[in-house]
Amino acid sequence: MAEFGREDLRGSTFDRTDLSGSTFRAASLSNVTIRGTDLHHVKMTGVELWDVDISGEVRGLRINGVDVTAYVGEELARREPDLARMRPDDPDGFVEAWDLLEQLWDGTVERARLLDPAQLHEQVDGEWSFIETLRHLSFATASWVHCAIGGDPAPWHPLDLPWDEAPDDQGLPRDRTARPSLDEVLELRRARQADVRRVLEGLTEESLAADTTPPDGAGWPPPRPFAVKECLSIVLNEEWWHRTYAERDLAILERRPQ
């Protein structure tokens, strides 16, 4: 355990660092960027919280004693009425959700095609580029459909891209220097989309309620049983939110000079 007092740590990077149980007193966390980090059971008192942008899974968020979690959920539902369709309970609901996602993504891809191809490799505010986003969704499908549900311990394609904080010792692909074209990435993605559709169209109430059998030596997800419904819900969630982020960033790229 280390103790820092009156230290100047401005500009520091904490990568895969465990700060759980730490205490910050009279500290400046202004202009801090936090990515892929757990903030479970955090208590902040006497803080000044101005111009804060939080994007992620929010549960039990209380501000000045007021739980705003429900309000956030209700406002998201108001802005995005189709978001509720990403939480289906039966096989038909999963097929309908996938139909909608494919339709929405077709429009997003056509929007991306109007940009200079080089812009599809540009990052906005340090987020994934459009190409990297599609690569990550291919990874998500490989993980939760091919590996978790299908039992393939290593379904990866060299272009698959895990999340930035993924462990280094699981044999996952992570080529951040690759610059495939949009059509190259879409070829992989369409094959993975077709695999998802085959699984969804073959669902029954029984198979949806079943648990997966973890394959030996799997790199991701963790080698334990998961409910099939949970695996497929994760895929829908990934597809919905990464398209939302892609649309946000495409709007910014469209305003940049080409």
Side-chain angles (χ1 to χ4, degrees):
M1 184 172 65
E3 183 171 329
F4 301 94
R6 300 184 183 279
E7 305 283 352
D8 187 346
L9 299 177
R10 285 178 294 182
S12 298
T13 297
F14 298 92
D15 189 3
R16 293 175 172 82
T17 303
D18 189 349
L19 296 175
S20 57
S22 297
T23 299
F24 298 87
R25 291 193 182 93
S28 175
L29 295 176
S30 299
N31 301 311
V32 166
T33 298
I34 301 175
R35 298 181 186 277
T37 298
D38 292 339
L39 291 172
H40 301 167
H41 313 298
V42 173
K43 183 177 182 180
M44 297 184 287
T45 58
V47 299
E48 294 183 2
L49 203 62
W50 300 350
D51 301 323
V52 176
D53 187 356
I54 300 174
S55 176
E57 184 177 353
V58 178
R59 300 183 185 182
L61 176 60
R62 290 175 294 280
I63 300 178
N64 291 335
V66 179
D67 191 327
V68 300
T69 313
Y71 166 75
V72 173
E74 291 166 1
E75 181 62 15
L76 283 173
R78 186 189 68 79
R79 296 183 183 186
E80 298 286 356
D82 287 328
L83 179 57
R85 297 171 64 183
M86 297 300 113
R87 296 185 287 271
D89 289 317
D90 56 35
D92 288 343
F94 275 94
V95 173
E96 291 171 4
W98 192 251
D99 287 343
L100 175 61
L101 284 168
E102 286 193 331
Q103 177 185 345
L104 292 173
W105 267 109
D106 284 346
T108 300
V109 169
E110 290 309 307
R111 183 179 184 181
R113 286 192 184 279
L114 298 177
L115 295 174
D116 186 294
Q119 289 184 290
L120 302 184
H121 294 282
E122 285 188 34
Q123 294 185 340
V124 176
D125 295 331
E127 301 292 341
W128 278 331
S129 69
F130 188 77
I131 295 293
E132 288 170 330
T133 295
L134 297 182
R135 292 175 59 193
H136 176 68
L137 291 174
S138 290
F139 172 82
T141 299
S143 299
W144 294 102
V145 175
H146 293 80
C147 182
I149 297 176
D152 185 344
W156 323 118
H157 186 281
L159 289 179
D160 287 341
L161 188 65
W163 71 107
D164 289 341
E165 298 78 22
D168 294 324
D169 59 351
Q170 300 298 317
L172 304 178
R174 57 174 65 249
D175 186 358
R176 295 300 298 270
T177 64
R179 290 178 65 85
S181 69
L182 177 59
D183 286 332
E184 287 177 294
V185 172
L186 287 176
E187 182 179 3
L188 171 62
R189 173 153 169 76
R190 285 168 180 152
R192 293 275 168 82
Q193 287 176 307
D195 292 337
V196 174
R197 178 166 291 281
R198 278 193 290 272
V199 170
L200 295 181
E201 292 181 344
L203 279 179
T204 63
E205 295 286 355
E206 292 74 19
S207 63
L208 183 61
D211 287 339
T212 64
T213 301
D216 293 333
W220 187 259
R224 64 173 177 83
F226 289 88
V228 170
K229 181 181 178 182
E230 179 183 1
C231 296
L232 296 175
S233 295
I234 289 172
V235 172
L236 297 185
N237 187 67
E238 290 273 324
E239 292 278 342
W240 175 273
W241 287 110
H242 281 294
R243 179 187 166 274
T244 298
Y245 304 147
E247 287 280 337
R248 174 200 64 195
D249 293 348
L250 287 174
I252 294 173
L253 291 171
E254 288 166 348
R255 296 194 293 269
R256 289 181 178 177
Q258 299 188 27

